[in-house]
Amino acid sequence: MTDSKISFEPPRGMRDFYPEDMLWRNKVFDAFRAAGEAAGFEPYDACVVESYELLARKAGEEVGEQIYHFLDKSDRHLALRAEMTPTLARMVAQRQKELAMPVKWTTVAQCFRYERTTKGRKREHYQWNVDIIGSESVLAEAEVIGVAVDALRRMGLTPADFKVHVSSRRLLSEILSVSGIPENLHAQVFLALDKRGKMPDGEIAGMLRAGGLDEAGVRRAFEIMTIEDVAGARAMLGGAASRGADELEELFRLAGAAGFADALVFDISVIRGLSYYTGIVFECFDAAGEFRAVFGGGRYDNLLTAIGGEPATAVGLGFGDVVVTELLKARLGAGAVTAKKCVAVGYMAAEQRDAAVRLAAALRAKGGAVDLALKPVKPRKFFSRAGAAAYAAVLIGPDDVAAGTARMKNLATGEEREICLA
Ligand code: HAM
């Protein structure tokens, strides 16, 4: 024990949620849950602590370096999950024979990453995940992106406020291959190119050389990043058949049929920092480009086998609560969330307390929300305090108990109506 004062701040990057913060969090979580349910995703949950081995990653991936890990008292090497995807893969692998594929699962998971804390990045965040396992169809990508767009709409945003930037690792691989860059180098190229905008091009070129590319390969990698649309990608492929390009075009068509084509843009620079993605990848940003990514995801067809499961195709996304809350506050303003109002019930003296308790119980039994005063209160104080959180108020005095009735005051209009205290 020391005498030094404990700080009232949470540890750096960790988060407290005061009641006013919970209003925003609930708005965001409500939209996550409603959108997931509307699209037929089943909720699941899992432990926050995982074996380090499951979460540990190859060098070069930022997330791998950011894992909070520790030895427990029995020397087990454990970690706090940094994302949900390895856990989801583990859970699916455990029941792979019993599950009727495709599986459509959703969760809001608390995740921990030892990140440099900046705008939009904390060391703790809640991440909504929606994943479809066991479907090769591009419709799975369309469904996953569509459900996230639906959640943003439910929060009060429109495609004028955000865009989902879409690309394809398969397409990039195809172009790298026709450019003479062998497939075993592609993963390194993806991780290096993903750093564009975050580090100088010179350093990225260095990473590419270290990854085994010659000068022509490095030039080609940067050239690929200038592609503006799928047609441009096809041109770079010199007319060769391209599953990557076909899939992207199909996704745009399906988004049109589903009614969210206006939310999608092709963007070759979206690569994603996680190495398990294999096909279409996407990331959502606010339209003004002020904030970090709102959500990100893609197809990851090899993760189940990478952790020792049977092969299974998969696609999904992670949608954090931090950036979208910043975006909502900026676009909708503080008035967009208000606490749910209730009925305030008070009493002037201890003799009326039981009557107030009975009234509160009766109103609550009918489904009402009641804030019951915890001690006798004078009328002026009662009504001024009630005004902030209640839409109506009842103050029970000695005459009311004698009469068996009291007056419920509508705090917006000042109107009163008689209610029975029996
Ligand atoms: P991710 O891009 O690392 O993907 O994270 C997804 C989203 O989580 C980000 O777009 C952001 O909204 C939020 N996020 C991540 N880190 C932080 C942080 N430190 N602070 C605040 N928000 C953060 C994944 O995690 C993949 N596992 C997603 C996925 C699911 N892919 C397939 N299924």
Side-chain angles (χ1 to χ4, degrees):
M1 290 290 280
T2 76
D3 288 341
S4 65
K5 240 178 113 184
I6 288 177
S7 165
F8 293 149
E9 295 282 323
R12 179 184 284 273
M14 301 298 169
R15 302 156 77 199
D16 293 329
F17 290 85
Y18 283 89
E20 63 272 23
D21 306 314
M22 285 307 290
L23 297 178
W24 286 101
R25 182 166 129 185
N26 287 342
K27 181 181 176 69
V28 167
F29 281 28
D30 286 351
F32 288 161
R33 296 206 173 100
E37 209 172 287
F41 283 82
E42 290 180 286
Y44 72 102
D45 203 357
C47 45
V48 179
V49 174
E50 278 287 4
S51 76
Y52 177 72
E53 202 192 351
L54 177 74
L55 307 185
R57 291 296 177 54
K58 298 181 209 108
E61 250 192 27
E62 242 168 41
V63 171
E65 291 152 20
Q66 294 167 343
I67 294 173
Y68 279 87
H69 57 111
F70 55 96
L71 292 179
D72 76 1
K73 289 182 182 175
S74 305
D75 275 345
R76 290 185 194 91
H77 196 183
L78 302 176
L80 300 182
R81 65 178 171 223
E83 51 161 341
M84 199 62 182
T85 315
T87 298
L88 171 68
R90 176 180 66 68
M91 287 173 71
V92 170
Q94 196 180 26
R95 296 215 176 152
Q96 212 160 346
K97 293 208 169 59
E98 302 143 52
L99 289 169
M101 299 287 178
V103 158
K104 292 170 63 181
W105 282 3
T106 183
T107 194
V108 178
Q110 194 177 16
C111 299
F112 298 86
R113 296 183 186 184
Y114 194 81
E115 288 220 36
R116 208 165 62 81
T117 56
T118 52
K119 196 169 145 212
R121 281 290 174 274
K122 306 276 183 195
R123 290 186 177 168
E124 172 207 345
H125 73 284
Y126 287 92
Q127 197 189 94
W128 180 41
N129 279 245
V130 286
D131 289 87
I132 301 179
I133 296 173
S135 169
E136 275 182 24
S137 168
V138 178
L139 185 49
E141 273 89 337
E143 283 286 270
V144 160
I145 297 172
V147 73
V149 169
D150 181 36
L152 285 164
R153 286 198 174 122
R154 286 171 192 265
M155 291 174 203
L157 299 176
T158 70
D161 300 306
F162 63 85
K163 287 286 173 278
V164 185
H165 297 237
V166 185
S167 186
S168 163
R169 282 201 180 175
R170 195 183 317 278
L171 177 64
L172 283 175
S173 253
E174 288 166 347
I175 303 173
L176 291 171
S177 291
V178 298
S179 309
I181 298 167
E183 212 177 313
N184 62 339
L185 302 184
H186 294 185
Q188 284 307 317
V189 175
F190 294 153
L191 288 180
L193 291 179
D194 182 59
K195 303 267 188 256
R196 283 175 69 248
K198 298 173 207 152
M199 59 165 68
D201 278 0
E203 275 180 45
I204 293 168
M207 279 177 79
L208 290 168
R209 279 183 210 109
L213 264 62
D214 59 15
E215 283 316 305
V218 173
R219 264 199 313 280
R220 189 64 169 166
F222 281 104
E223 204 185 324
I224 291 169
M225 289 295 107
T226 63
I227 294 173
E228 285 183 355
D229 47 29
V230 181
R234 285 200 188 277
M236 225 176 246
L237 283 163
S242 165
R243 185 172 155 196
D246 292 347
E247 286 172 344
L248 279 171
E249 281 164 356
E250 195 179 345
L251 175 63
F252 280 95
R253 259 196 315 277
L254 290 167
F260 64 87
D262 53 345
L264 293 195
V265 289
F266 174 82
D267 181 351
I268 195 80
S269 73
V270 173
I271 293 169
R272 308 273 299 136
L274 296 157
S275 56
Y276 49 66
Y277 293 111
T278 52
I280 286 179
V281 280
F282 50 85
E283 213 144 58
C284 175
F285 293 95
D286 65 292
E290 277 173 54
F291 299 89
R292 301 280 296 255
V294 176
F295 66 77
R299 181 167 282 279
Y300 52 104
D301 283 347
N302 303 330
L303 187 59
L304 265 288
T305 40
I307 67 157
E310 298 296 315
T313 62
V315 56
L317 63 80
F319 186 143
D321 66 324
V322 178
V323 175
V324 80
T325 304
E326 288 173 354
L327 180 60
L328 290 175
K329 285 181 177 170
R331 296 289 173 273
L332 307 180
V337 287
T338 43
K340 215 176 145 204
K341 296 220 166 184
C342 59
V343 176
V345 172
Y347 44 96
M348 289 169 70
E351 291 71 31
Q352 295 101 49
R353 192 172 70 168
D354 285 4
V357 171
R358 273 195 296 276
L359 175 64
L363 292 172
R364 286 171 182 161
K366 277 194 252 166
V370 176
D371 179 27
L372 176 64
L374 297 170
K375 61 179 188 187
V377 56
K378 295 211 165 32
R380 210 141 78 105
K381 194 165 171 201
F382 174 70
F383 284 104
S384 74
R385 192 182 145 94
Y391 64 88
V394 187
L395 182 64
I396 303 174
D399 298 346
D400 298 320
V401 174
T405 59
R407 284 174 319 279
M408 185 180 288
K409 184 171 180 176
N410 179 321
L411 295 173
T413 63
E415 274 167 47
E416 292 189 346
R417 69 181 174 89
E418 198 169 86
I419 55 164
C420 187
L421 287 182

